[in-house]
Amino acid sequence: RRVSPLAQNALGAQIPLLVLSMSSLLSFDEEQKRQLNDRLEELRETADWREATSLANELVPYPDLVVTVTKPQLVGSFLRRHFVFTVSTEQPYHYVVRRRFSHFQWLRETLMQRYTGLLIPPLPPKDFFGNKAASATFQHPTGGEAENSGDEAHRFVCARMRQLQLFLTHVCEIPFLRDDRALQRFLSVVSDKDWEQAQKTCNDDTNEYSDSEQPKGFMLWTKIIKRTHEPTNLMRKIADWERQVEALQVAFCKVRSAAARVINDSTVAASSLYRFHGAMAYLREAEGSIGQKAEFEFPNQGATAITSFLEFEGTQLGKFTHASSMQSVSFEIALRTVIDFAQSYITAFDDLMKARAGLARKVTTARRSLSVYESEAVRRHGEGPKGSGFSITSQLRTNDDLSELVQNTQKEVQVATPSMLAMQ
């Protein structure tokens, strides 16, 4: 396929290989479309996420993306200071770019707008005060040193880095998104100027793909949503899911509280071990001193052997103390970050249900208003417009606006409902 000037200019010199590799996967040919339709017919009308992703992995054979987020670095000056992170695509390409938190937000918002109803992995909330405090004290240019620091600024930055890593890893695991242009440009465009142009172009073509330009993942997701029908017991299902979400939220709150206690206890234990290690060092010095003739008239003859033993034990205790000092960081990585991410997924699904409920209420309200206006129009038309201030043209315009609102909102509900059925 022809590589567009946009791809050549906006993606930079190292990107044509990626663009060319994507071009063969860009859209389905006629035979592939026929096979796609046949496979879709095999799916249940209320296809769940496992069935949909299994089909996507089969029909969109894009290479798995292995992406890491590392090396937080503070850039800029004064009020414009912010953190950037190194985003490395290790497989199947070797790209290294620098992205700030707002770029991750842009990627998520773009994917949410383009893949209507797809539950895009959540991002951590933008903590303005935490970011400003970290910006004021953060010193280390690499993640390794910061990870070992007990300073709150370092903990905040490293926690943010791990959360961004989880977000990007889960985005790249969704087969519908692997060949998306926004994601590919996010991972590959290097220079700031080209990145700004790539963002603008992605914003321009969101939801405006022509049939020949639709990526396979986008086309497949759209077809799955369109063929998923609303079950007759939908409201019962939604009510039950709301109870499930509520139960999980309560459980996760308990887990987060318990995890916080584990992290705090491990921090306190590490501090106690440091003090114990210092006390043992003092004992070793005391044992060594009582074996010195310069210190005592009758030095202890066994002091040398005891001191050697204590030196060996001190070395082993030092290793154990260091390992314990890292335990709180390990717990924070293994517990708090992952728990928060999992809980935010549940919250995102809850938001999806609430958004659909809001749209449904909007449809009901618009229909009620339309019915009122139509009844009023009939009544006033029967009385005649003379002297009543009644305008048939104005009434028709109002009716048309309300009818259009009902139709458009109903379409949104028709998309939100199958999306919710797939995502649950």
Side-chain angles (χ1 to χ4, degrees), residues 103-147:
H103 296 157
F104 287 85
Q105 288 181 309
W106 170 86
L107 175 62
R108 186 171 189 269
E109 290 168 2
T110 300
L111 295 176
M112 288 178 65
Q113 184 178 358
R114 185 173 292 168
Y115 296 83
T116 306
L118 183 60
L119 197 59
I120 306 299
L123 277 171
K126 187 168 184 176
D127 189 337
F128 176 81
F129 295 103
N131 189 66
K132 288 299 179 185
S135 300
T137 57
F138 186 82
Q139 299 293 331
H140 302 302
T142 61
E145 297 176 6
E147 196 71 75

Side-chain angles (χ1 to χ4, degrees), residues 103 248 352 387:
H103 296 157
L248 286 173
L352 190 64

Side-chain angles (χ1 to χ4, degrees), residues 140 143-151 154-155 158 322 325-326 329:
H140 302 302
E145 297 176 6
E147 196 71 75
N148 298 336
S149 171
D151 187 87
H154 296 94
R155 286 179 176 269
C158 292
H322 176 70
S325 69
M326 295 299 299
V329 177

Side-chain angles (χ1 to χ4, degrees), residues 31 36 71 98 117-118 145 205 238 276:
E31 176 60 23
L36 170 61
K71 300 178 182 176
R98 304 287 285 173
L118 183 60
E145 297 176 6
D205 67 16
I238 292 176
F276 178 66

Side-chain angles (χ1 to χ4, degrees), residues 19 45 56-57 65 92 94 102 144 162 183 193 201 204 262 330 340 357:
V19 178
E45 290 185 350
N57 279 318
L65 298 173
H94 299 283
S102 61
R162 292 191 294 267
L183 176 60
K193 182 179 179 181
T201 306
D204 290 342
V262 170
S330 301
D340 287 352

